[in-house]
Amino acid sequence: MTTTDATNHQVRLAARPTGTPTPDVWAHTEEPVAEPGEGQLVVRVSHISLDPAMRGWMDDRPSYVPPVGLNEVMRALGAGEVVASSHPDFPVGTHVSGMFGVQEYALSDGRGLLAVDPSAAPMSTYLAALGMTGMTAYFGLFDVGAAKQGDTVLVSGAAGAVGTMVGQLAKIRGCRVVGIAGGAAKCALLTDELGFDAALDYREEGLARRLREATPDGVQVFFDNVGGEVLDAGLTRISRGARVVLCGAISQYNSRERVAGPTNYLSLLVNRARMEGFIVFDFADRYAEAAAEIAGWLREGRLRSKEDVVTGSVADFPATLLRLFRGENVGKLVLQIA
Ligand SMILES: NC(=O)c1ccc[n+]([C@@H]2O[C@H](COP(=O)([O-])OP(=O)(O)OC[C@H]3O[C@@H](n4cnc5c(N)ncnc54)[C@H](OP(=O)(O)O)[C@@H]3O)[C@@H](O)[C@H]2O)c1
């Protein structure tokens, strides 16, 4: 295909948000699709990953990656098909995942791209169980959390992308799994469909009491995606030598106040416990190992890639992103470009 006659619709960061991103922080732009130069290729993006971390990338403050610059195409992981190529490793027709941004076509020099097989799994799964989400759950639980058979694993944000994976991986390892999620329907999904031993609705009264009842032997691994009050509640249940995995703190990302730190942190001291943050990118050299193991469990039917695929255009990205912060997604939220 020649790409010169196609138009690339994009979503750019036009202003930095305060609190929850409003429509005016985005600019919708279009430009001709670039022709690939020597060693370059063009991907037609079919799936865009929506991640809570995007909110942090929009702020102008130091983090594990530089902020998205003003008027830059919004950073996003995605998946798609190579439609023009002067790159020896990625000929036209290759399916790939990579950091393509919120746009319909991405020009790439091949760095950071992974070839994927759409006949082995749906493209959305390469952003879910077989993508960054799966890697986060795998390395956070098994490496940082050192989960082992017989442990009680508590996971917050349990019905989300990472949480649904963490709970299922912990069951595969032989752990007892308790999830915390918002609403009765999500809790029922965790226990009835995904094999969690118990699920607690954090929006209902009496979380501390219900957590006590659900974890009679304490918690050996607490995988926290939420922060704030939920982190605090979980800290009251950790046992001696527990590992608290700081994966994320979605309850704090849109806050206009100072981040609420844990008031129950002395539980770490009393229990000689460890609380450790991690960034999945640090495990990049082991992604292939994790993906092969996860793919095996998917094939065997021991693991489900729970996905929430919204079909639309790149213009739907801003509204779709907000679903994460309203708790409207179940599993991995993906925007499929119609
Ligand atoms: N460290 C890393 O390398 C890494 C990599 C990927 C993701 N993460 C982090 O992992 C966490 C989960 O990410 P994900 O991609 O799996 O997203 P996700 O869980 O699918 O994200 C959305 C869910 O978060 C919950 N939520 C939203 N606002 C909340 C609040 N105020 N209090 C409690 N829960 C709230 C909602 O579920 P409810 O209905 O249950 O409220 C919502 O469905 C995020 O914090 C993310 O930043 C970290």
Side-chain angles (χ1 to χ4, degrees):
M1 150 180 180
T2 163
T3 51
T4 40
D5 48 357
T7 300
N8 182 21
H9 294 94
Q10 307 160 313
V11 175
R12 293 173 186 269
L13 182 65
R16 302 216 178 269
T18 312
T20 303
T22 44
D24 55 300
V25 306
W26 305 108
H28 298 262
T29 59
E30 59 177 66
E31 62 185 33
V33 177
E35 282 296 322
E38 198 50 42
Q40 292 184 322
L41 60 118
V42 173
V43 178
R44 185 170 53 222
V45 178
S46 59
H47 294 79
I48 294 174
S49 174
L50 292 113
D51 293 284
M54 288 170 153
R55 179 62 191 83
W57 301 342
M58 297 165 76
D59 287 334
D60 188 11
R61 69 165 76 109
S63 186
Y64 60 97
V65 286
V68 176
L70 286 181
N71 300 316
E72 279 179 16
V73 172
M74 180 59 194
R75 181 186 295 142
L77 284 162
E81 183 177 352
V82 177
V83 290
S85 180
S86 296
H87 194 296
D89 299 338
F90 300 101
V92 168
T94 311
H95 288 78
V96 288
S97 66
M99 201 62 95
F100 299 138
V102 183
Q103 56 183 343
E104 293 169 338
Y105 294 88
L107 183 68
S108 165
D109 62 7
R111 270 183 294 180
L113 254 64
L114 279 178
V116 301
D117 179 2
S119 69
M123 289 296 277
S124 52
T125 303
Y126 291 104
L127 300 176
L130 294 170
M132 189 188 71
T133 295
M135 304 300 120
T136 303
Y138 183 99
F139 291 110
L141 181 67
F142 294 147
D143 277 66
V144 186
K148 55 183 192 310
Q149 188 174 8
D151 282 348
T152 293
V153 173
L154 175 67
V155 53
S156 62
V162 173
T164 50
M165 285 291 295
V166 167
Q168 293 182 87
L169 293 179
K171 287 308 292 180
I172 289 172
R173 176 82 22 127
C175 303
R176 181 163 187 280
V177 179
V178 178
I180 302 178
K186 286 189 178 184
C187 289
L189 171 112
L190 296 177
T191 51
D192 301 352
E193 253 189 65
L194 299 181
F196 284 54
D197 296 284
L200 310 173
D201 179 357
Y202 69 88
R203 297 198 196 126
E204 289 284 318
E205 286 296 302
L207 178 63
R209 176 187 49 78
R210 287 179 288 125
L211 200 46
R212 226 170 22 246
E213 289 165 3
T215 58
D217 302 323
V219 168
Q220 285 75 55
V221 181
F222 176 20
F223 193 110
D224 184 39
N225 289 310
V226 164
E229 290 175 9
V230 169
L231 170 59
D232 247 339
L235 282 176
T236 64
R237 296 305 301 151
I238 59 173
S239 60
R240 188 163 174 164
R243 287 80 67 199
V244 179
V245 182
L246 285 191
C247 178
I250 192 166
S251 71
Q252 304 298 308
Y253 294 170
N254 285 317
S255 171
R256 292 163 183 252
E257 314 291 324
R258 282 181 62 187
V259 166
T263 53
N264 289 333
Y265 76 96
L266 286 181
S267 181
L268 296 165
L269 184 156
V270 174
N271 290 297
R272 293 79 152 173
R274 163 165 79 75
M275 179 150 90
E276 184 176 342
F278 78 104
I279 296 293
V280 65
F281 300 152
D282 297 342
F283 294 91
D285 59 347
R286 291 173 54 204
Y287 283 178
E289 163 203 327
E293 200 162 19
I294 289 172
W297 289 325
L298 288 172
R299 270 196 309 274
E300 293 163 12
R302 299 175 71 192
L303 181 65
R304 287 184 53 190
S305 183
K306 199 74 194 154
E307 296 161 16
D308 198 330
V309 180
V310 174
T311 303
S313 69
V314 291
D316 296 313
F317 166 80
T320 311
L321 179 66
L322 295 182
R323 293 171 58 117
L324 291 172
F325 300 103
R326 295 191 190 122
E328 289 173 1
N329 65 304
V330 177
K332 175 70 203 168
L333 185 60
V334 173
L335 178 59
Q336 179 172 353
I337 307 305

